[in-house]
Amino acid sequence: MENDPISRYRRFSRAVTRQVGALDQSFLGRGRPLGAARVLNAIGQGRCDVADIRTYLGLDSGLASRLLRSLEDEGLIETRTHPDDGRRRIAKLTATGRTEFNAYENLSDEAADRFLSDHPAPDALLEAMDLIATAMNRHAVAIERVDPTSGDARYGLERYYAELARRFEEGFDVSLSCDPEASDMVPPRGAFLVALSDGLPVGCVGLKGNGSTLGEVKRLWVAPDARGAGLGKRLMAAIEDEARALSMDTLRLDTNRALPEAYELYMRNGWTEIERFNDDPYPDFFFEKRLV
Amino acid sequence: MENDPISRYRRFSRAVTRQVGALDQSFLGRGRPLGAARVLNAIGQGRCDVADIRTYLGLDSGLASRLLRSLEDEGLIETRTHPDDGRRRIAKLTATGRTEFNAYENLSDEAADRFLSDHPAPDALLEAMDLIATAMNRHAVAIERVDPTSGDARYGLERYYAELARRFEEGFDVSLSCDPEASDMVPPRGAFLVALSDGLPVGCVGLKGNGSTLGEVKRLWVAPDARGAGLGKRLMAAIEDEARALSMDTLRLDTNRALPEAYELYMRNGWTEIERFNDDPYPDFFFEKRLV
DNA sequence: CCATTTATCTGACTTTAGTCTGATAAAATT
DNA sequence: AATTTTATCAGACTAAAGTCAGATAAATGG
């Protein structure tokens, strides 16, 4: 065989196609066509809006309607009209539907567990999977405002701190840095954003405020896997929007010489280098931007 | 989202399912149902035996027959009866069939290329893909006898030498080691085996002979991704079979202290440590095994 | 040589997926 | 208030996938 990139990609593609096919087969074992199973799964995942289900699964409206009807006849879901819009419909699992949904979930979970536990180095495998999934989702990264103490925020921050510790010559200990209070990064004082790639945090940024029109951008991080797609720029634009919404007119931030790509990002996006404005031991450079 | 192993696996699974689905969609663009396209692809890949195609694609005999007929009607394949067994049939691409097969190949290649060239670090991506594909194929590794100068053999040997260079304290330079002549690892003097995981070399082993009943096992290597599945043991058993087939009765080998897992493998599989029998600078341990 | 097995094929049939048209009713627009 | 748009649904239809029961002919095993 050739071992050029395309052959290697295609070998990967064959392997996962087989794996995906095997899972579909196991889904059929529950005596329901795949189409109906997919709709049930979409609803179980919390997609209740019928139009949403339709676009998510790429279904024709007639087909979607029939699949919903078949699930309803089985007693797995209930539909009712949307409270705000009488044309739209909402689907919800019944108790038996929940049970059946869980059965599908278990099939998926078991397939995952079987694969991972069969391997001597599951951590390496998972890192490879994250890398690939992030690459495949790279044009569908969603930025969401979350509480800085939420699981997703903490996950991002931990990876951020770990990376600083690796990259700073002097290491990094968050307790020595001026770690903002969580309450300063929650509206109405500030905000905290995470970038999610199909649920996995691949970036974050915080906005620390004190009630005045001056804000400070903190904790900008983009996961290594997700770099090169302009996510840093998107996060900065999003946090500036948050600042504007909080009536701020000036933002500041600091950064370290071990993070040249951050320095470049600020330079390219309207930030001006200014004098040191704090006595945090880590930063080497200080920036300001006036919002318009 | 949860970031436990199973959620991460399932996120990966969602991403590749989408990707695979998109490729299938592009296949449909050639105006042929997926089933027929799959059969055409199987034949193009060299699966000519109808029974083989059927089991490979998991098709009912009736369905397979009809799909073959439709491809034949399109003038893409020709079938004839097997020369050794009048019941079996052989399918072969016609010239137009070859063209059409290449068109599908191009669609796949383009999808691969689009994905890889869209990413800032395709090498990391490919390594991750190799890791995952090897893990998914781990129970389907084929051992084949090849010429030690073939591409697959050289690929394995290069990775083997690179690993020795990493692991030996003193480094490794193959020109300083007693590198066997390729002709000593080809029947009737010797043999060379590679382990292929869906085409990718993930292991190798050589048998160097001089026409006598004494042989030497050389270049045993198992790719890091493929370890932990007993492949080393399988390769050793296979090379012993080769030795027996060449009427050898005694095998020798040497190994280095930086490769403890190899030492353990030999100890567990009937090899006896003996005195140094060559003046190669690298090995620290010497083994012998009498074949029964 | 004869019974059995094996590989393939054919035709009838069912299920699943997907498309298209028109109906209905609610919302949005004029 | 009338018209248009939107979301859903139902029914008719087609295409594709899959199943099943023989039919056929070649190989195999006594």
Side-chain angles (χ1 to χ4, degrees):
Chain A
M1 121 157 195
E2 312 300 317
N3 295 309
D4 58 298
I6 288 178
S7 300
R8 289 165 73 189
Y9 175 96
R10 293 190 56 187
R11 169 173 173 269
F12 165 79
S13 184
R14 280 194 297 280
V16 297
T17 301
R18 226 184 346 263
Q19 201 92 347
V20 165
L23 185 60
D24 281 355
Q25 277 303 108
S26 83
F27 275 14
L28 287 177
R30 297 204 65 78
R32 195 170 292 109
L34 269 182
R38 273 196 261 271
V39 172
L40 185 67
N41 276 298
I43 297 170
Q45 281 158 33
R47 292 178 190 274
C48 48
D49 201 300
V50 169
D52 180 30
I53 294 168
R54 224 165 39 208
T55 54
Y56 175 64
L57 297 175
L59 299 174
D60 169 272
S61 70
L63 180 52
S65 182
R66 228 165 316 120
L67 291 171
L68 285 167
R69 220 53 53 228
S70 83
L71 291 172
E72 211 165 24
D73 292 348
E74 277 195 274
L76 301 177
I77 63 167
E78 278 166 353
T79 60
R80 60 168 204 280
T81 62
H82 193 288
D84 302 344
D85 183 340
R87 293 168 302 181
R88 295 161 70 187
R89 309 218 79 197
I90 301 285
K92 234 190 78 185
L93 294 186
T94 61
T96 39
R98 172 67 50 188
T99 309
E100 192 58 20
F101 169 70
N102 288 336
Y104 283 108
E105 288 288 286
N106 283 341
L107 286 175
S108 292
D109 288 354
E110 280 161 19
D113 187 57
R114 210 175 313 124
F115 178 65
L116 291 172
S117 61
D118 181 43
H119 199 269
D123 285 343
L125 220 43
L126 285 168
E127 271 177 39
M129 289 179 164
D130 285 346
L131 175 64
I132 291 169
T134 298
M136 289 179 169
N137 292 330
R138 82 195 321 252
H139 298 297
V141 176
I143 294 178
E144 282 185 18
R145 183 168 55 222
V146 298
D147 190 283
T149 59
S150 70
D152 283 343
R154 286 210 320 275
Y155 179 89
L157 288 171
E158 270 163 37
R159 292 192 58 193
Y160 173 62
Y161 297 147
E163 185 170 354
L164 293 187
R166 270 196 310 278
R167 291 179 65 172
F168 287 4
E169 278 170 28
E170 65 274 28
F172 179 77
D173 178 351
V174 67
S175 66
L176 299 181
S177 172
C178 33
D179 193 29
E181 292 290 319
S183 60
D184 289 341
M185 297 201 293
V186 171
R189 294 171 74 87
F192 195 86
L193 304 178
V194 292
L196 297 174
S197 167
D198 189 19
L200 190 76
V202 293
C204 64
V205 64
L207 173 65
K208 175 185 163 188
N210 54 16
S212 77
T213 60
L214 175 66
E216 187 176 348
V217 174
K218 305 284 291 180
R219 312 284 179 249
L220 174 69
W221 170 73
V222 175
D225 292 2
R227 288 177 196 163
L231 183 54
K233 186 173 177 173
R234 277 185 65 201
L235 280 167
M236 287 303 286
I239 205 73
E240 286 172 26
D241 288 344
E242 294 287 333
R244 280 187 207 93
L246 294 172
S247 311
M248 294 177 182
D249 61 11
T250 307
L251 292 181
R252 287 178 170 180
L253 62 80
D254 59 41
T255 187
N256 184 290
R257 66 182 181 284
L259 306 172
E261 64 277 43
Y263 185 94
E264 291 301 319
L265 175 70
Y266 305 137
M267 290 300 275
R268 271 199 317 275
N269 287 283
W271 291 76
T272 317
E273 210 169 337
I274 57 170
E275 289 299 302
R276 172 179 281 272
F277 60 78
N278 65 25
D279 53 2
D280 190 304
Y282 293 108
D284 300 304
F285 304 112
F286 298 81
F287 284 90
E288 184 173 273
K289 182 171 186 175
R290 304 201 71 83
L291 300 179
V292 282
Chain B
M1 125 157 192
E2 312 298 318
N3 294 310
D4 59 298
I6 288 179
S7 300
R8 288 165 73 189
Y9 175 96
R10 292 189 57 187
R11 169 172 173 269
F12 166 79
S13 186
R14 278 194 299 277
V16 296
T17 301
R18 223 183 350 259
Q19 201 91 346
V20 165
L23 185 60
D24 281 357
Q25 276 303 108
S26 83
F27 275 14
L28 286 178
R30 295 205 65 78
R32 197 169 290 109
L34 267 183
R38 271 196 261 271
V39 172
L40 184 68
N41 275 299
I43 296 170
Q45 281 158 34
R47 293 178 188 274
C48 47
D49 201 299
V50 169
D52 180 29
I53 294 168
R54 224 166 39 210
T55 54
Y56 174 63
L57 297 174
L59 299 174
D60 170 89
S61 70
L63 180 52
S65 183
R66 229 163 314 121
L67 291 171
L68 285 167
R69 219 53 52 228
S70 82
L71 290 173
E72 211 163 22
D73 292 348
E74 277 196 273
L76 302 176
I77 63 167
E78 277 166 353
T79 60
R80 58 169 206 279
T81 62
H82 193 287
D84 301 345
D85 184 339
R87 295 167 301 182
R88 293 161 70 186
R89 310 219 80 196
I90 301 285
K92 233 190 78 185
L93 294 185
T94 61
T96 39
R98 171 68 49 188
T99 308
E100 191 59 20
F101 170 70
N102 287 336
Y104 283 108
E105 288 288 286
N106 283 341
L107 286 175
S108 294
D109 288 355
E110 281 161 19
D113 187 55
R114 209 173 314 125
F115 178 66
L116 291 173
S117 61
D118 181 43
H119 198 270
D123 285 343
L125 220 43
L126 285 168
E127 270 176 41
M129 288 179 164
D130 285 345
L131 175 64
I132 290 169
T134 300
M136 287 180 170
N137 292 329
R138 82 194 322 251
H139 298 298
V141 176
I143 294 178
E144 282 184 18
R145 184 167 57 221
V146 297
D147 190 283
T149 60
S150 68
D152 283 343
R154 286 210 319 277
Y155 178 88
L157 287 171
E158 270 163 37
R159 291 193 57 193
Y160 173 62
Y161 298 147
E163 184 169 354
L164 294 188
R166 269 197 310 277
R167 291 180 63 172
F168 287 4
E169 280 170 26
E170 65 274 28
F172 180 76
D173 178 352
V174 68
S175 66
L176 299 179
S177 173
C178 32
D179 193 29
E181 292 290 319
S183 61
D184 289 341
M185 298 202 291
V186 172
R189 294 170 75 87
F192 195 86
L193 304 178
V194 292
L196 296 174
S197 166
D198 190 20
L200 190 77
V202 293
C204 65
V205 64
L207 174 65
K208 174 185 164 188
N210 55 16
S212 78
T213 60
L214 177 65
E216 187 176 346
V217 174
K218 304 283 292 179
R219 312 282 178 249
L220 174 69
W221 170 72
V222 175
D225 292 1
R227 287 177 197 164
L231 183 54
K233 186 173 177 172
R234 277 184 66 200
L235 279 167
M236 287 303 286
I239 205 71
E240 287 172 24
D241 289 342
E242 295 287 333
R244 281 188 207 92
L246 294 171
S247 310
M248 294 177 182
D249 61 11
T250 308
L251 292 181
R252 286 178 171 179
L253 62 81
D254 60 42
T255 187
N256 183 291
R257 67 182 179 283
L259 305 171
E261 64 277 43
Y263 185 95
E264 290 301 319
L265 175 70
Y266 305 137
M267 291 300 275
R268 272 199 318 275
N269 287 283
W271 291 77
T272 319
E273 212 170 337
I274 58 171
E275 289 299 302
R276 172 178 280 272
F277 60 78
N278 65 26
D279 53 5
D280 190 305
Y282 293 109
D284 301 303
F285 305 112
F286 298 82
F287 283 90
E288 184 172 274
K289 182 172 186 174
R290 303 201 72 84
L291 301 179
V292 284

